[in-house]
């Protein structure tokens, strides 16, 4: 009787353990909650293409309000400070720029993944590893086609914080990497750790209203990779005293790119392709019945995808 009971426990115990293991979706939700709710401080490496920089991060929730300070530790001293809905960029000359919204920063990928993983990706638990001396669970976000990059994530087993992330190409080569090298949980942080120094002046971001008389260009993408949809169209000024540039963003929920179009008066504009890390920029001159335009795509998608998209962009001038 005892032998039969022992045998039954041996058979069913592994099944119980597997049933309790969190799914990839559960792990992503735990990661997002941890990044917003925990107090932590550390240093991490940020690799973008061949460039590597070191940054310091402080994060805390004080009186129900989320605070974060990102500080560049090499090169020019630049800081990004978030206090609730307020986002400030502090510059080396003592000036600051008040940003309209949070740009996300190096850990934006984790937030995007936690919201919803598009159907064009498959998320898999890919074993265990160690980052900054801490045991981590590895997740792999694999694209189901060649029109977007994949991602790898390392989640702290104890706190569920994102310890490391990589954006990888089709060969598995890391194009962008964020990796903690030191991490302290529950540090004693106060509002003074997120104070902005006295500013010499504040830079104003120039708004271009949507009803500007020059806002007459309309973009049409005749081919997009599956899952990509147009986001809200906006207008931006590239330089002083220049006409607004039409800017149309596209996203599949993870990857994003933006198409810029501006009218040109001669054939001196430069076409070309450049890549830094996962970001590609492709510029092409387009001739339409209404005139000549410079079309530029900038985003985190493979070069072949970017060139196919920009080759199928059409421009309409609503004045004609």
């Amino acid at each position: 009787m005892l032998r039969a009971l022992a045998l039954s426990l041996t058979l069913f115990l592994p099944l119980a353990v597997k049933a309790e293991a969190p799914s990839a979706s559960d792990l992503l939700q735990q990661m997002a909650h941890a990044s917003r709710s925990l107090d932590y401080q550390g240093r991490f490496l940020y690799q973008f293409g061949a460039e590597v920089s070191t940054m310091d991060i402080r994060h805390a929730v004080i009186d129900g309000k989320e605070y974060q300070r990102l500080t560049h530790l090499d090169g020019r001293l630049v800081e990004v400070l978030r206090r609730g809905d307020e986002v400030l960029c502090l510059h080396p000359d003592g000036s600051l720029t008040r940003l309209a919204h949070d740009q996300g920063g190096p850990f934006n990928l984790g937030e995007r993944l936690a919201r919803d993983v598009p159907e064009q990706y498959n998320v898999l638990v890919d074993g265990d590893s160690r980052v900054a001396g801490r045991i981590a669970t590895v997740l792999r976000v694999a694209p189901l086609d060649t029109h977007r990059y994949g991602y790898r994530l390392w989640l702290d087993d104890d706190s569920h914080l994102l310890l490391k992330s990589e954006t990888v190409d089709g060969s598995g080569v890391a194009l962008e990497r964020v990796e903690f090298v030191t991490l302290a949980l529950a540090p004693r942080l106060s509002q003074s750790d997120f104070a902005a120094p006295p500013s010499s002046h504040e830079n104003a971001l120039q708004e271009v209203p949507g009803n500007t008389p020059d806002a007459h260009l309309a973009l049409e993408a005749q081919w997009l990779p599956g899952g990509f949809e147009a986001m809200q169209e906006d207008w931006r000024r590239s330089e002083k005293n220049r006409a607004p540039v039409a800017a149309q963003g596209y996203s599949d929920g993870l990857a994003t790119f933006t198409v810029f179009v501006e009218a040109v008066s001669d054939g001196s504009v430069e076409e070309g392709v450049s890549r830094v890390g996962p970001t590609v920029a492709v510029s092409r001159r387009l001739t339409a019945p209404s005139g000549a335009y410079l079309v530029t795509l900038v985003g985190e998608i493979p070069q072949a995808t970017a060139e196919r998209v920009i080759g199928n962009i059409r421009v309409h001038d609503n004045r004609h």
Side-chain angles (χ1 to χ4, degrees):
M1 181 68 178
L2 291 176
R3 183 176 298 177
L5 178 59
L7 178 61
S8 66
L9 289 175
T10 303
L11 291 174
F12 286 103
L13 185 57
L15 295 178
V17 171
K18 289 183 179 179
E20 293 174 358
S23 66
S25 178
D26 292 337
L27 290 172
L28 290 176
Q29 295 303 317
Q30 292 171 358
M31 173 193 67
H33 178 73
S35 68
R36 292 190 300 264
S37 62
L38 295 182
D39 291 4
Y40 54 91
Q41 180 176 357
R43 292 187 175 183
F44 63 91
L45 297 177
Y46 178 45
Q47 175 191 345
F48 191 80
E51 299 293 326
V52 180
S53 60
T54 309
M55 302 182 73
D56 180 270
I57 185 171
R58 302 177 189 180
H59 182 276
V61 178
I62 303 172
D63 296 330
K65 188 175 180 180
E66 190 175 358
Y67 292 79
Q68 181 171 284
R69 188 180 209 120
L70 287 174
T71 305
H72 291 255
L73 298 179
D74 43 27
R76 297 193 310 156
L77 176 59
V78 177
E79 293 187 292
V80 177
L81 184 61
R82 176 157 56 92
R83 299 180 293 196
D85 295 330
E86 180 185 47
V87 184
L88 304 174
C89 182
L90 312 178
H91 305 288
D93 62 359
S95 65
L96 66 85
T97 302
R98 195 174 301 274
L99 304 179
H101 56 84
D102 188 3
Q103 306 296 312
F107 297 97
N108 186 35
L109 172 61
E111 289 293 324
R112 284 180 285 157
L113 279 167
R115 286 195 290 266
D116 188 24
V117 178
E119 62 181 17
Q120 288 78 22
Y121 300 84
N122 192 16
V123 185
L124 305 169
V125 178
D126 201 23
D128 299 324
S129 184
R130 294 177 74 245
V131 178
R134 305 179 68 87
I135 300 175
T137 297
V138 184
L139 296 183
R140 181 159 50 93
V141 183
L144 301 181
D145 59 32
T146 60
H147 297 309
R148 61 208 90 215
Y149 294 128
Y151 309 94
R152 290 193 289 258
L153 309 174
W154 285 255
L155 277 57
D156 184 23
D157 279 4
D158 290 334
S159 67
H160 308 301
L161 279 173
L162 178 60
L163 299 177
K164 178 179 176 180
S165 68
E166 291 180 342
T167 301
V168 298
D169 64 14
S171 301
V173 175
L175 306 175
E176 183 179 30
R177 176 169 59 98
V178 179
E179 180 176 2
F180 272 102
V181 292
T182 65
L183 177 64
L185 296 174
R188 293 188 176 183
L189 298 173
S190 65
Q191 289 185 345
S192 62
D193 292 290
F194 305 94
S199 174
S200 59
H201 66 276
E202 182 172 328
N203 302 315
L205 295 180
Q206 185 178 16
E207 296 287 339
V208 180
N211 59 358
T212 175
D214 295 316
H216 52 268
L217 299 180
L219 314 182
E220 179 187 358
Q222 297 188 330
W223 181 84
L224 291 171
F228 277 89
E229 296 180 355
M231 300 185 291
Q232 184 175 2
E233 185 180 31
D234 65 4
W235 289 82
R236 310 176 188 183
R237 293 193 187 276
S238 55
E239 295 176 7
K240 290 183 178 179
N241 302 321
R242 294 191 62 178
V245 176
Q248 176 66 69
Y250 299 88
S251 176
D252 68 354
L254 285 183
T256 60
F257 63 87
T258 303
V259 178
F260 302 90
V261 177
E262 61 180 315
V264 293
S265 57
D266 54 46
S268 62
V269 297
E270 294 186 4
E271 297 184 324
V273 179
S274 63
R275 264 189 53 187
V276 180
T279 302
V280 63
V282 182
S283 295
R284 294 287 184 267
R285 189 175 188 272
L286 173 65
T287 302
S290 55
Y293 303 93
L294 179 65
V295 183
T296 303
L297 183 152
V298 180
E300 296 189 351
I301 55 176
Q303 180 178 329
T305 303
E307 292 180 336
R308 184 173 175 183
V309 171
I310 203 171
N312 286 275
I313 292 291
R314 298 295 177 265
V315 179
H316 304 286
D317 192 326
N318 296 329
R319 298 176 303 180
H320 296 267

